[in-house]
Amino acid sequence: MFGWSKANMKGYFPWSLMDNFEWGEGFETRFGLYYVNYKDGLFTRHPKLSTKWYIRFLEEKDIK
């Protein structure tokens, strides 16, 4: 049986059903925690407000 106490988790990658929609939409519709500037040639990433919310959400959780 699987138990969280036995998992060797050193990081977390947020993934959701919305990521699948993003792939289908291409570069037209924006999803995710970061805005990516595709026009500057550097693909500069800028955190959205949802990024700050998500960080606070994780900090408030006692994940053990």
Side-chain angles (χ1 to χ4, degrees), residues 1 9 28 38 43 46 50 58 63:
M1 180 172 194
M9 187 165 94
E28 298 299 319
Y38 297 112
F43 301 104
H46 305 278
S50 56
L58 291 177
I63 302 172

Side-chain angles (χ1 to χ4, degrees), residues 4-5 16 21 31-32 40 46 48 50 53-54 58-61:
W4 286 108
S5 62
S16 70
F21 290 117
F31 296 91
D40 70 357
H46 305 278
K48 295 181 182 178
S50 56
W53 175 89
Y54 191 67
L58 291 177
E59 289 174 345
E60 293 172 0
K61 299 296 173 191

